[in-house]
């Protein structure tokens, strides 16, 4: 008799929970999507993280589903994997990334679950698509690649009297991201925090800036160790953008483990720094004696625990010309950092090899000493598309 009673109570509990969730999502206001010169723009203002995720997923359902189809096609065409679903399942359930997010960042896990439910897509598939830096490492570890894509270059301009700081990020990514560039204006309840989150439809974050003046851009560090657990990059980006300044960002990064090796170039109204992260370690690289900082895809540390030897003269081309891109950025910024502005940075980020065949999107962020930051980003390669402006004070 006890077994039947327990089963009845359990079923009643599950049924109530499911109907409650359905009722909750039915009451969520789905935002209008503006297609702004090739970029999807929408505002998320749900009262909970789950609601904001649901708004994102439901409003961009078509784009997300199309991107996931492109993701699976990309796996088939660019790797030795014949059944993408098997690799996706193995990555999502066989590694510790998902559990790390669930344990350490429950609010963002709930937001991600909201995206899944809103878009009505497979959880594991969206998580793998979401965690593409970690998934990329998974493919490399299994020697699955036929061809490789992806680079990324970030720069910061800082320390100029009465002038804005800048952060830039060229996103050089796999082709399945094309046509999905998105800017989310995320409004947090019971606080004045607002984030302009540049991302791709269905993903928590890529780069962006908040109304406090904290901005972040990212690039993979291919010669540092990776891990089978830890927080995926997109979730770290969002947590950094919940900070009021660089000090708070660093406090967050010190507390977590990392799924893959990554540089987070972080800027605020005062300065800009590069933060190299891998496994459970962070290393801050700042250029306080100069007015600029740049980072590509190799570590800038002298005694780092590298797993690849990248020689500028021998095999730079095999690693996306990481040294050539860094040298070019440093050369231009060394000569022009004191006076460079949006137009100068746009030109820099459109110069090969910083601009290359894998460049999907280019972001430039201006952070004034006072007032709201401005985010410009492109819907595709910056040599083909103009930068579109996004601000905090627009209605």
């Amino acid at each position: 008799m006890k077994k039947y009673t327990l089963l009845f109570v359990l079923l009643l509990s599950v049924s109530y929970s499911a109907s409650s969730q359905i009722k909750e999502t039915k009451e969520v206001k789905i935002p209008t999507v503006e297609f702004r010169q090739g970029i999807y723009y929408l505002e998320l203002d749900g009262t909970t993280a789950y609601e904001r995720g649901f708004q994102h997923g439901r409003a961009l359902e078509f784009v997300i589903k199309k991107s996931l189809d492109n993701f699976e096609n990309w796996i088939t065409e660019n790797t030795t994997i014949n059944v993408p679903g098997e690799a996706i399942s193995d990555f999502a359930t066989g590694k510790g990334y998902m559990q790390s997010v669930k344990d350490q960042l429950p609010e963002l896990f709930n937001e991600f679950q909201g995206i899944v439910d809103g878009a009505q897509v497979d959880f594991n598939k969206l998580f793998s698509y979401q965690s593409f830096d970690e998934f990329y490492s998974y493919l490399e570890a299994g020697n699955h690649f036929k061809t490789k894509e992806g680079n990324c270059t970030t720069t910061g301009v800082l320390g100029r009297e009465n002038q804005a700081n800048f952060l830039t990020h060229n996103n050089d990514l796999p082709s399945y991201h094309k046509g999905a560039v998105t800017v989310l204006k995320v409004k947090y309840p019971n606080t004045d925090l607002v984030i302009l989150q540049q991302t791709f439809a269905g993903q928590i974050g890529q780069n962006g800036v908040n109304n406090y003046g904290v901005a972040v851009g990212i690039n993979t560090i291919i010669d540092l160790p990776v891990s089978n657990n830890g927080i995926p990059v997109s979730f770290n980006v969002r947590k950094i953008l919940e900070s009021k300044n660089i000090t708070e960002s660093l406090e967050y990064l010190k507390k977590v483990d990392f799924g893959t090796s990554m540089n987070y170039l972080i800027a605020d109204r005062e300065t800009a720094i590069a933060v190299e992260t891998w496994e459970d370690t962070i290393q801050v690289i700042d250029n306080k004696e100069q007015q600029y900082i740049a980072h590509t895809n190799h570590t800038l540390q002298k005694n780092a625990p590298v797993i690849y030897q990248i020689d500028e003269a021998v095999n730079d081309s095999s690693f996306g010309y990481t040294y050539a891109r860094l040298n070019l950025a440093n050369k231009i910024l060394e000569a022009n950092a004191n006076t460079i502005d949006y137009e100068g940075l746009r030109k820099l980020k459109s110069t090969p090899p910083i601009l290359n065949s894998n460049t999907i999107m280019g972001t430039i962020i201006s952070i004034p000493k006072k007032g709201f930051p401005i985010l410009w980003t492109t819907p595709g390669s910056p040599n083909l598309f103009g930068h579109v402006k996004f601000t905090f004070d627009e209605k």
Side-chain angles (χ1 to χ4, degrees):
M1 182 65 183
K2 287 183 179 179
K3 289 184 180 179
Y4 289 104
T5 303
L6 177 61
L7 179 61
F8 173 75
V9 172
L10 179 60
L11 288 174
L12 181 64
S13 173
V14 171
S15 175
Y16 175 78
S17 176
S19 63
S20 174
Q21 186 82 341
I22 291 170
K23 181 180 179 181
E24 177 185 338
T25 55
K26 281 184 178 179
E27 294 175 353
V28 174
K29 181 181 177 182
I30 306 305
T32 300
V33 178
E34 177 185 344
F35 193 57
R36 189 179 297 186
Q37 300 177 54
I39 297 171
Y40 297 97
Y41 173 74
L42 61 157
E43 297 187 4
L44 308 181
D45 59 0
T47 58
T48 66
Y50 178 86
E51 286 184 6
R52 294 190 292 277
F54 190 88
Q55 288 178 317
H56 177 176
R58 181 54 53 86
L60 293 176
E61 179 180 355
F62 172 78
V63 189
I64 293 169
K65 287 180 174 177
K66 181 180 178 182
S67 296
L68 290 179
D69 286 342
N70 292 340
F71 175 49
E72 288 193 287
N73 290 337
W74 176 87
I75 293 172
T76 302
E77 293 168 3
N78 292 276
T79 76
T80 59
I81 295 169
N82 295 320
V83 185
E86 293 180 359
I88 287 169
S89 177
D90 181 53
F91 169 81
T93 61
K95 306 295 180 182
Y97 308 123
M98 188 187 302
Q99 194 64 44
S100 293
V101 177
K102 191 172 184 178
D103 292 343
Q104 299 180 55
L105 303 177
E107 284 291 290
L108 284 184
F109 184 85
N110 288 339
E111 181 174 337
F112 175 73
Q113 182 68 64
I115 300 173
V116 171
D117 294 346
Q120 302 179 76
V121 295
D122 180 75
F123 186 101
N124 289 343
K125 191 184 297 184
L126 190 67
F127 188 82
S128 300
Y129 164 78
Q130 172 92 208
S131 309
F132 60 86
D133 288 292
E134 292 72 22
F135 189 72
Y136 203 88
S137 297
Y138 164 83
L139 294 175
E140 280 197 318
N143 294 315
H144 290 303
F145 275 114
K146 297 176 185 175
T147 60
K148 296 185 180 181
E149 304 176 40
N151 301 299
C152 293
T153 303
T154 54
T155 65
V157 180
L158 60 140
R160 307 180 303 173
E161 187 174 358
N162 298 322
Q163 294 188 68
N165 290 344
F166 280 95
L167 181 144
T168 77
H169 177 196
N170 265 24
N171 240 335
D172 305 337
L173 295 172
S175 55
Y176 58 81
H177 292 92
K178 289 182 178 179
V181 176
T182 299
V183 173
L184 307 171
K185 184 183 245 184
V186 188
K187 299 179 178 179
Y188 284 67
N190 305 315
T191 175
D192 61 351
L193 174 63
V194 181
I195 295 172
L196 284 176
Q197 181 73 78
Q198 190 284 323
T199 187
F200 299 94
Q203 296 182 11
I204 293 288
Q206 261 293 294
N207 59 52
V209 63
N210 67 27
N211 57 328
Y212 301 132
V214 177
V216 62
I218 55 176
N219 42 278
T220 303
I221 307 176
I222 52 183
D223 54 352
L224 287 180
V226 298
S227 177
N228 285 325
N229 51 50
I231 306 295
V233 174
S234 58
F235 296 93
N236 287 327
V237 166
R238 177 65 71 80
K239 289 302 294 184
I240 289 169
L241 292 178
E242 292 179 0
S243 305
K244 291 186 176 181
N245 49 51
I246 283 179
T247 300
E248 284 192 8
S249 299
L250 289 175
E251 286 304 311
Y252 163 73
L253 292 173
K254 289 175 183 177
K255 296 176 182 177
V256 297
D257 296 339
F258 305 98
T260 194
S261 49
M262 184 66 53
N263 170 61
Y264 297 89
L265 201 149
I266 310 172
D268 62 13
R269 298 186 193 275
E270 301 301 322
T271 189
I273 60 173
V275 187
E276 296 191 355
T277 66
W278 69 100
E279 296 177 335
D280 60 352
T281 305
I282 75 169
Q283 180 64 50
V284 177
I285 298 170
D286 61 53
N287 287 2
K288 291 181 179 178
E289 296 182 359
Q290 56 193 44
Q291 295 176 316
Y292 65 92
I293 189 166
H295 207 297
T296 52
N297 300 115
H298 61 278
T299 178
L300 301 184
Q301 302 173 61
K302 292 183 178 179
N303 298 304
V306 296
I307 57 174
Y308 296 117
Q309 293 295 330
I310 306 176
D311 189 309
E312 180 179 1
V314 176
N315 61 353
D316 195 34
S317 63
S318 298
F319 296 93
Y321 293 98
T322 177
Y323 275 97
R325 285 182 283 119
L326 181 68
N327 293 341
L328 175 61
N330 282 335
K331 179 181 178 180
I332 293 174
L333 290 172
E334 181 180 15
N336 301 284
N338 190 50
T339 57
I340 201 165
D341 57 9
Y342 162 77
E343 287 296 337
L345 289 167
R346 188 181 63 80
K347 183 177 179 181
L348 182 156
K349 301 312 287 284
S350 298
T351 304
I354 292 175
L355 176 81
N356 56 73
S357 61
N358 294 319
T359 305
I360 297 288
M361 173 277 300
T363 297
I364 300 173
I365 298 170
S366 169
I367 311 169
K369 298 295 186 268
K370 295 181 180 179
F372 288 122
I374 299 172
L375 182 148
W376 293 270
T377 195
T378 63
S381 180
N383 66 324
L384 300 175
F385 298 91
H387 282 78
V388 184
K389 182 178 179 180
F390 296 88
T391 65
F392 287 93
D393 52 358
E394 62 185 275
K395 299 301 182 181

